[in-house]
Amino acid sequence: MNLETLLPLIVIVGPTASGKSALAVKLAKKFNGEIVSADSRQVYRGLDIGSAKVTRREMDGIAHHLLDIASPKRAMSAGKFQRLAARAIAGIAGRRKVPFLVGGTAFWVDTVAYGLRLPEVRPDPALRKRLAAKSATALLAILKKLDPARAETIEQKNPRRLIRAIEIASALGRVPHLVKHSMFDTLWFGLKPSYEVGLHKMVERVDKMLRRGLVAETKKLLASGVSKKRISE
């Protein structure tokens, strides 16, 4: 694709509590931008305190996209997020503003920024039900038998990622290599605070969550019908 046809995209990444959201707002104000959240928890309605979702005050008048777009009772897939994010970014660029992709969740950022072509394998409810009770260690062992290469690169302690990989490998024989086909000309900013600073900010954030009402928010989600399993996920 010709570079002139690519849409501009600024990507801000970094670990939890590293200051991504605050930096994105400052840059968006300076360069007439809007922000697309790439956080796999902040997409859910009602999960505000527990996901450290940016508040209206923190947004400081900057438009944010892909927050509160899904029910917490059902998982949002990376593929669906990719489609919604691409649409949101195109809309921002169409308004002659600068799109910022801010995350969060590394795989979700990569699916958008690199235009990863994800395998089109439909969910297998029966297989997922059989695998749901297994530990991450047991799921990893299953994946190693189906696709040793993918087992080496996957998040090995993430049951959802493991189950999806097993699902794909069972249907296709292996998890195919993800082909990149990006629509964007990206500029990346990576935040990397020192271990001591990062730990201090994490402790501060957890304390703030508890003071703001994390326990009450969790009880409210449970009372609304969100299962304990979904809460833990």
Side-chain angles (χ1 to χ4, degrees):
M1 185 179 291
N2 191 307
L3 187 62
E4 293 181 357
T5 67
L6 298 177
L7 296 176
L9 177 65
I10 296 177
V11 182
I12 300 178
V13 295
T16 299
S18 59
K20 298 182 296 295
S21 296
L23 175 61
V25 168
K26 287 181 180 179
L27 292 177
K29 287 181 74 69
K30 184 175 180 63
F31 296 105
N32 189 32
E34 296 183 12
I35 295 170
V36 177
S37 169
D39 189 295
S40 63
R41 299 299 177 264
Q42 294 184 8
V43 294
Y44 296 113
R45 293 185 291 273
L47 191 63
D48 301 328
I49 299 170
S51 68
K53 192 176 295 175
V54 61
T55 65
R56 288 290 177 188
R57 182 177 179 180
E58 291 166 340
M59 289 179 188
D60 199 13
I62 298 298
H64 283 61
H65 303 267
L66 302 193
L67 298 173
D68 300 319
I69 60 171
S71 166
K73 296 180 183 179
R74 292 175 292 277
M76 165 78 82
S77 71
K80 183 174 182 180
F81 171 79
Q82 182 188 46
R83 293 190 294 274
L84 293 173
R87 189 183 308 161
I89 292 166
I92 294 168
R95 293 189 289 276
R96 298 185 180 276
K97 292 191 172 186
V98 178
F100 289 77
L101 182 68
V102 184
T105 304
F107 183 62
W108 282 29
V109 171
D110 288 351
T111 61
V112 177
Y114 294 125
L116 299 181
R117 290 181 171 171
L118 304 176
E120 295 184 3
V121 174
R122 296 180 66 83
D124 183 339
L127 176 63
R128 290 187 175 192
K129 186 175 181 179
R130 291 199 303 273
L131 297 175
K134 296 184 181 296
S135 67
T137 302
L139 292 170
L140 181 61
I142 295 171
L143 182 59
K144 282 182 177 179
K145 291 181 180 179
L146 292 170
D147 189 343
R150 180 59 179 133
E152 288 296 320
T153 61
I154 199 169
E155 294 177 57
Q156 298 186 348
K157 296 182 179 181
N158 187 324
R160 281 193 57 216
R161 297 255 187 271
L162 290 164
I163 289 173
R164 180 56 178 162
I166 292 169
E167 192 172 52
I168 293 169
S170 298
L172 303 181
R174 66 180 180 84
V175 180
H177 178 69
L178 298 180
V179 177
K180 297 178 180 180
H181 186 73
S182 181
M183 301 184 298
F184 309 113
D185 179 18
T186 56
L187 174 64
W188 291 75
F189 288 90
L191 305 184
K192 189 179 179 182
S194 68
Y195 174 79
E196 291 77 13
V197 170
L199 181 61
H200 177 70
K201 287 186 175 181
M202 281 293 296
V203 171
E204 278 190 335
R205 173 168 288 188
V206 173
D207 285 344
K208 183 178 179 181
M209 285 178 173
L210 291 170
R211 290 195 304 272
R212 288 183 60 203
L214 177 61
V215 174
E217 178 179 88
T218 304
K219 288 180 177 180
K220 185 176 179 180
L221 286 167
L222 289 168
S224 71
V226 179
S227 68
K228 289 183 179 180
K229 181 174 181 295
R230 283 294 297 145
I231 293 289
S232 67
E233 290 174 347

